[in-house]
Amino acid sequence: MRGLAYRFLTDARHFQMLAVFLLILILALNGDFGPDWKVLLLTEASVCIFQLLFLRHYNVPKKDLRSAVIAGLSITLLLRTNFLGLYVLAAFLVVATKFWVRFDGKHIFNPSNIAIVLCLLCFSDYAWISPGQWGSSALFGLTAAFIAFVVLTKARTADISLFFLGGWLLLTFGRAFWLGDPMAIPLHQMQNGALLVFAFFMISDPMTIPDHRAGRAVFALATAAIGFILQYEFQVRAGVFYALPIVCMSTPVLDMLFKHQRYQWGKI
């Protein structure tokens, strides 16, 4: 029993699962902004089945579903469509990109992010990202969950979330200052649930970001800058979600420039 508790407490994925599920629960209780429970069950069942099929196909002895469950929760939280089949397709893309698109033992792309982006690009008339206007109680719950996540994981990779949000905040308020807008506008823009989910639970995936802190700083600021340009110069809604796959391709280069010990799950 003590060994089971130790394994639970020393793996950040357990706390991330609890944090994202808590947010989904808060949204569900908060009114019309919560995900459909049918979507949650369908997505989680699909991503777990695909994960097991791929593990069996590639003869992976350890049948671990935790990362797949986290990706399924992120898909449920962020992807919106009226066609349930797209959630199954997104679940397949999550697992397929994990196994097929790798370099030096790491995923090239964040699995849930690339699945969402591919669905948006291929089915732009039927899929969209949650607008993220979830209300103050949800944002409070998200912030509290993040703080707990940072504390419990000893902030091992949470620095990238702070680098990204710092860069995004400077760009957003700088633009408002340049245009002469009232500060209430950028303040409202920062209160976007989808943006915070992206910052706290997507860009921080240790399997797709540089190992060294300096590399993570470059990675985060580049994502913020490209996302900002896409969103405000080219009017691409939720530009950061499109910026992340672009910047993810630089991770092997940043790992070569800034060498550091590879992150391992279960080593808090």
Side-chain angles (χ1 to χ4, degrees):
M1 188 66 184
R2 182 177 296 179
L4 184 64
Y6 176 79
R7 287 197 295 274
F8 181 89
L9 294 172
T10 53
D11 195 314
R13 287 173 293 186
H14 300 141
F15 299 104
Q16 188 169 358
M17 275 189 280
L18 287 175
V20 180
F21 183 76
L22 175 64
L23 180 61
I24 291 175
L25 187 62
I26 290 173
L27 291 173
L29 298 175
N30 195 38
D32 298 330
F33 300 105
D36 191 318
W37 292 108
K38 295 194 299 292
V39 170
L40 175 62
L41 294 174
L42 175 65
T43 307
E44 286 298 340
S46 301
V47 77
C48 288
I49 290 172
F50 286 129
Q51 176 85 353
L52 288 172
L53 291 174
F54 271 77
L55 289 172
R56 181 174 180 179
H57 178 74
Y58 288 102
N59 295 317
V60 179
K62 189 177 180 180
K63 303 295 188 288
D64 195 325
L65 297 176
R66 288 172 290 189
S67 295
V69 170
I70 293 170
L73 290 171
S74 297
I75 295 289
T76 304
L77 193 58
L78 293 168
L79 182 63
R80 292 287 181 270
T81 177
N82 293 323
F83 295 92
L84 293 178
L86 273 184
Y87 290 105
V88 179
L89 175 61
F92 171 78
L93 292 172
V94 163
V95 181
T97 54
K98 283 173 58 179
F99 281 85
W100 291 344
V101 190
R102 303 172 67 93
F103 180 80
D104 193 24
K106 295 176 74 169
H107 311 147
I108 296 294
F109 300 110
N110 179 291
S112 52
N113 170 254
I114 194 66
I116 291 172
V117 167
L118 289 175
C119 286
L120 294 175
L121 290 175
C122 297
F123 304 96
S124 56
D125 292 336
Y126 307 101
W128 63 95
I129 289 179
S130 170
Q133 305 303 324
W134 296 334
S136 58
S137 62
L139 292 177
F140 173 79
L142 177 61
T143 304
F146 172 65
I147 292 171
F149 183 68
V150 170
V151 172
L152 292 169
T153 59
K154 299 181 182 178
R156 180 70 188 274
T157 60
D159 54 1
I160 195 169
S161 302
L162 301 179
F163 288 136
F164 169 78
L165 283 176
W168 189 263
L169 185 145
L170 285 175
L171 290 168
T172 303
F173 277 86
R175 177 177 179 272
F177 180 78
W178 177 263
L179 296 175
D181 291 338
M183 290 299 107
I185 293 178
L187 191 62
H188 177 73
Q189 291 168 338
M190 291 297 297
Q191 297 173 359
N192 183 296
L195 176 69
L196 297 180
V197 168
F198 175 87
F200 295 155
F201 300 113
M202 186 167 281
I203 195 175
S204 58
D205 175 15
M207 295 296 104
T208 57
I209 59 176
D211 299 318
H212 195 281
R213 176 166 292 175
R216 293 197 293 271
V218 173
F219 184 99
L221 295 175
T223 304
I226 294 174
F228 187 85
I229 292 170
L230 288 174
Q231 185 159 323
Y232 291 103
E233 185 65 25
F234 295 96
Q235 306 303 313
V236 177
R237 189 166 162 267
V240 293
F241 288 88
Y242 295 93
L244 185 56
I246 298 172
V247 181
C248 276
M249 290 187 284
S250 70
T251 297
V253 177
L254 292 172
D255 278 339
M256 284 191 286
L257 293 174
F258 306 102
K259 295 188 182 299
H260 197 267
Q261 182 180 6
R262 180 68 53 85
Y263 182 89
Q264 289 184 301
W265 290 116
K267 300 289 184 183
I268 293 177

